Amino acid sequence: MNTLTEAWGWLTDPAHWSGDDGVRHRLAQHLVLTVVCLVVSCLIALPVALVLGHLGKGGALAVNLSNVGRAVPTFAVLVLLLLTPIGRWGEGPTVVALVLFAVPPLLTNAYVGMREVDRDVVRAARGMGMTGRQSLFQVELPLALPMVLTGVRIAAVQLVATATIAALAGGGGLGRIITAGFNLASTPQVVAGAVLVAVFALLVEGVFEVVERVAPHRARGSR
Amino acid sequence: MTAPPDDCLARNEWICGEYLSTRRHILLDAVAQHLQLTAVSVLFGLAVAVPLAVLARRWGLAAGPVLAATTVLYTVPSLAMFSLLLPVYGLSAALVVAGLVLYSLTLLVRNILAGLRAVPEETRQAARGMGYGPVRLLLTVELPLALPAGMAGLRIATVSAVSLVTVGAIVGFGGLGNLIYAGMNTYFKAQVLTASVLCVVIAVAADLLLLAVQRLMTPWTRAGRG
């Protein structure tokens, strides 16, 4: 319990919140990294998954990519990228690694969502004279939306976790508070940083949980 | 003084046979630690997950809290998880194992519970009609039928654990992660690449091994298809 009180003391000390190594700056870095990389990953993965799912092709690739993503250690990829020329562009390795690990869950879930749309509904859409594009956007995508959003949530949580590990390889974000704590052998700082990261991750998960519940109703209600 | 040797180590190349031959014992030690940490964590996780899943299946009220708790645990990033356990375990291998147990627990409970829930009600009733008590029903009917789903969870948990062990490098117990961490600080490309590739090889080998075990343990799933 003593460490927890000390960690609380660390967190409530205003000196730890300001400056380049302060909580406020690290939090902003973490948020920007997560949001920017989530948008980039969605722009890369979702069009590919939706088109592949619509055409019913490349299923093995989309599903296996997730398994590959799980077997490759995030930390190893971060360090490998750091040692390549990308390592010279500051946050370059972090951004590339974040996108690499966010794409598989997005791709797999969106693809599976598209394939799980009732084939009879798609055929009915065809029978009504819809073109492939109309069927994709007006029938299949709205029905696949819950699965697509699940993929976005998993990717977002994965991004927060990866951005934390990036601190081990010198990247910015809340993880830096933890690694700095280890370097200073300051257990209260390590615990305080870990609490911040955990709360941040749970908040992201919570926000997407709400979006997942509300968005499909909105999408259907507006029509 | 002799001139420094002009081999791939001196040139700091990514792929280096010299590295493999001269540092073989370091690599083997790291692989051994990696395997040990993974195996201990997954076995501990399994030992806790099976009773939890059975409890959640038997006693419906427990299912909600158990699943919610495992989701929360899984959302916490690995680095933060290890750090939160620091006051309890200090800088030790137990810290890494405890963190990994919590992660594998999540994956295992979900999958075993799904497997138990998928056992057809008619099967259970037939067993009860034949005079099976609750314990015998669980051990000889429900758990075997939940095996394929449980093994799927075990494979995912093992592969994830192999990859997460590397983060244990922050406390010095990361198996191959230690080599990656040290290689990063010294810009030792061959070491980082070799250790990373070995991690993936271990993950794939463990996955295939468990798949083989699953096929041996559930011969009926093959008979049904053929």
Side-chain angles (χ1 to χ4, degrees):
Chain A
M1 280 302 112
N2 204 14
T3 325
L4 280 186
T5 7
E6 280 173 53
W8 179 248
W10 193 93
L11 273 179
T12 44
D13 184 345
H16 294 140
W17 282 75
S18 53
D20 267 2
D21 291 328
V23 175
R24 208 170 293 132
H25 182 230
R26 294 296 181 205
L27 196 63
Q29 273 183 325
H30 212 106
L31 193 64
V32 168
L33 273 175
T34 311
V35 171
V36 170
C37 292
L38 185 62
V39 171
V40 172
S41 317
C42 285
L43 288 178
I44 295 173
L46 292 185
V48 175
L50 295 181
V51 170
L52 285 181
H54 175 67
L55 298 174
K57 286 184 182 146
L61 175 83
V63 175
N64 284 326
L65 205 59
S66 244
N67 295 333
V68 174
R70 200 178 287 118
V72 178
T74 317
F75 178 47
V77 171
L78 278 161
V79 175
L80 285 172
L81 287 169
L82 187 69
L83 299 188
T84 61
I86 299 172
R88 270 176 249 142
W89 320 329
E91 296 288 349
T94 314
V95 172
V96 175
L98 283 166
V99 172
L100 278 180
F101 280 95
V103 163
L106 284 169
L107 205 58
T108 306
N109 279 281
Y111 180 84
V112 172
M114 288 294 284
R115 292 315 295 164
E116 278 180 356
V117 171
D118 194 340
R119 289 298 105 190
D120 289 345
V121 177
V122 179
R123 258 176 253 134
R126 274 292 155 83
M128 285 168 68
M130 280 192 174
T131 62
R133 183 186 293 257
Q134 283 172 328
S135 159
L136 170 61
F137 286 108
Q138 293 175 21
V139 179
E140 292 169 78
L141 183 56
L143 288 172
L145 197 60
M147 273 298 272
V148 175
L149 287 174
T150 303
V152 176
R153 173 171 58 91
I154 298 174
V157 172
Q158 171 88 56
L159 282 171
V160 174
T162 311
T164 314
I165 297 178
L168 281 177
L174 287 169
R176 281 297 272 275
I177 298 171
I178 299 178
T179 50
F182 271 107
N183 290 337
L184 297 168
S186 157
T187 306
Q189 182 174 342
V190 170
V191 175
V195 169
L196 284 171
V197 171
V199 169
F200 188 83
L202 289 171
L203 278 179
V204 168
E205 162 101 15
V207 165
F208 279 97
E209 200 113 335
V210 171
V211 170
E212 255 179 77
R213 289 221 181 131
V214 175
H217 294 292
R218 275 290 171 92
R220 254 159 247 170
S222 65
R223 202 155 287 133
Chain B
M1 278 295 281
T2 49
D6 182 38
D7 56 6
C8 57
L9 280 175
R11 288 195 300 271
N12 196 14
E13 284 171 5
W14 283 105
I15 299 167
C16 182
E18 198 82 349
Y19 173 74
L20 285 179
S21 54
T22 53
R23 319 282 164 106
R24 196 188 305 125
H25 56 284
I26 300 180
L27 280 169
L28 286 178
D29 284 351
V31 168
Q33 191 186 50
H34 209 104
L35 291 176
Q36 210 179 346
L37 288 170
T38 309
V40 171
S41 324
V42 173
L43 288 177
F44 258 110
L46 195 61
V48 181
V50 173
L52 269 183
V54 169
L55 184 79
R57 175 79 186 99
R58 270 297 137 84
W59 194 41
L61 275 180
V66 166
L67 285 179
T70 53
T71 306
V72 168
L73 285 177
Y74 200 67
T75 306
V76 175
S78 51
L79 187 62
M81 182 73 93
F82 291 149
S83 306
L84 284 173
L85 294 167
L86 181 68
V88 187
Y89 293 100
L91 298 171
S92 66
L95 176 138
V96 178
V97 170
L100 293 175
V101 165
L102 291 176
Y103 281 119
S104 36
L105 201 61
T106 308
L107 294 163
L108 290 169
V109 168
R110 282 183 174 274
N111 278 274
I112 299 172
L113 188 59
L116 287 174
R117 280 178 172 167
V119 175
E121 188 53 37
E122 299 87 57
T123 313
R124 251 200 301 272
Q125 281 171 358
R128 247 181 249 129
M130 286 169 72
Y132 277 44
V135 175
R136 198 161 154 224
L137 176 72
L138 178 71
L139 293 180
T140 61
V141 177
E142 290 180 299
L143 282 179
L145 284 177
L147 248 178
M151 284 300 285
L154 187 62
R155 284 168 60 198
I156 299 177
T158 308
V159 170
S160 308
V162 170
S163 128
L164 283 173
V165 166
T166 54
V167 180
I170 185 94
V171 293
F173 292 92
L176 291 161
N178 290 341
L179 296 184
I180 298 177
Y181 200 50
M184 173 183 80
N185 292 330
T186 52
Y187 271 74
F188 194 169
K189 289 178 179 172
Q191 176 158 307
V192 172
L193 185 65
T194 310
S196 308
V197 170
L198 280 174
C199 274
V200 177
V201 169
I202 293 176
V204 172
D207 195 42
L208 291 177
L209 181 75
L210 287 171
L211 184 65
V213 171
Q214 180 186 348
R215 288 175 69 92
L216 282 177
M217 282 170 79
T218 57
W220 63 87
T221 53
R222 269 172 296 151
R225 229 177 287 142

